[in-house]
Amino acid sequence: TLPSLAPGASTTFTVTFTPSESGAREATLQIESNDANEDPFDIDLIGTGGVPITAWRETYFFTTANTGDSADDADPDRDGVSNLLEFATGGDPTEPGIAETPVKPPADGLVEITYTRNKLAMGELIYQVQWTDDLLDNWSAVGVAETIVSDNGVIQQVTATVPAGSEGKRFIHMKVS
């Protein structure tokens, strides 16, 4: 309940988005007023509900535990893609497949890499495209820019541009944590 306000006064309040389901959600916040022209104030709210990895595990493994076949680093379908990466990219950990990341050769001093991002996982995970020239754990995100090229409300296709290597080589990976 918000306090009553004197004419000309203002207040601040916080609205928290906690959907009970995943995907696109809409709601209306209605604030009562004694102003005959503005009663009630209606504020449209929109957002996307996330799916915590525990709910994702429950869907695929019938458990929320981060152990055995449902562990983040497990690969129960033996396709070389860990459960955490399957969750991050909207993959199915029970069906063999690969997380495709097409790479365009250098042009204008940039390399392009395109990857799939699960919007429902974005509240829990950090996605970062990184590069190095030597594979000696000197990974960097300097100069990397991302553009969302498609978005169906659940899955995004993202293209990252990475500066091309000055010595004709550049190693690129997407870090998900």
Side-chain angles (χ1 to χ4, degrees):
T1 303
L2 296 175
S4 295
L5 299 175
S10 65
T11 190
T12 301
F13 58 94
T14 301
V15 176
T16 303
F17 177 65
T18 53
S20 58
E21 297 181 27
S22 63
R25 296 286 169 241
E26 297 180 11
T28 301
L29 173 63
Q30 198 170 72
I31 301 174
E32 295 179 16
S33 171
N34 62 3
D35 182 334
N37 295 324
E38 302 292 341
D39 184 33
F41 287 104
D42 288 332
I43 302 169
D44 293 328
L45 306 171
I46 59 171
T48 301
V51 176
I53 196 164
T54 53
W56 180 85
R57 281 191 199 104
E58 181 72 33
T59 299
Y60 289 101
F61 302 106
F62 309 105
T63 181
T64 59
N66 185 12
T67 59
D69 280 349
S70 63
D72 288 350
D73 59 356
D75 181 16
D77 59 8
R78 304 204 190 308
D79 62 359
V81 181
S82 71
N83 284 340
L84 186 65
L85 194 55
E86 297 266 19
F87 175 59
T89 60
D92 182 338
T94 64
E95 294 291 327
I98 58 170
E100 295 186 28
T101 53
V103 177
K104 284 188 178 177
D108 298 325
L110 298 172
V111 177
E112 284 188 4
I113 181 170
T114 301
Y115 68 93
T116 302
R117 180 166 63 193
N118 178 0
K119 286 181 65 173
L120 302 175
M122 290 172 61
E124 287 190 63
L125 300 177
I126 298 169
Y127 299 73
Q128 189 176 43
V129 174
Q130 298 177 328
W131 59 266
T132 185
D133 290 333
D134 57 24
L135 289 178
L136 298 175
D137 206 27
N138 296 318
W139 293 96
S140 174
V142 173
V144 176
E146 293 188 342
T147 303
I148 297 169
V149 292
S150 69
D151 184 336
N152 70 8
V154 177
I155 299 293
Q156 291 178 338
Q157 291 293 318
V158 180
T159 295
T161 55
V162 179
S166 60
E167 296 182 27
K169 62 183 177 183
R170 175 98 346 140
F171 301 95
I172 301 170
H173 73 191
M174 180 181 69
K175 180 179 179 180
V176 176
S177 55

